[in-house]
Amino acid sequence: MRNTLEGERVGRVLVAAALAVLLLSVGVAVAVPTGQVLVVEDLDTGEEYITQPVDDGSTVALEYMHSVEKTRVYDEYRVDGDTLVNTRMEFESYGWGLPARVNVTNVNGTLVYEPPGGITELESIAVSPGRIADHTLIVDDRQYDLVAATNGNDVRIHIERRTLLETLL
């Protein structure tokens, strides 16, 4: 009888230990950040239009038509933790908002500004996608029509760390 009681006690301890390990594993999956995600969200409501997994070193770019000059503009960023580092600009003419007092290289008619230390570091980028500008978001080699994806609503683009559970949902 004594061996039976000890056996039942050991069995309960093993079940409790297994349950504790399971709960701890679920807690880790829910709470521990596992990866970075580029998020494009509505500036006013926070509604997410695009989420795309990224890594440190991933390339994020905005390509659009300059509203006054009617020429292509390309702004390239590198993911660095939770920051977007503007590393390169390409443009075909000088106009409002484009760097006019920096050293650029002319590559087949495209002006390229690519300083060795980067241009600027941003926590987020605010964009007003426009049908005339025809904004395109490029994440690594994947392109998104930003105007269609957001219905032209103002957005904020930023990097978030997501947990395994958030990533799966």
Side-chain angles (χ1 to χ4, degrees), residues 23-34 162-167:
L23 289 174
L24 182 61
S25 298
V26 169
V28 167
V30 170
V32 174
T34 57
R162 297 269 171 105
T163 64
L164 179 59
L165 183 63
E166 289 170 325
T167 302

Side-chain angles (χ1 to χ4, degrees), residues 93-110:
S93 63
Y94 289 102
W96 188 89
L98 298 173
R101 295 190 172 121
V102 297
N103 291 326
V104 298
T105 304
N106 188 323
V107 180
N108 298 323
T110 298

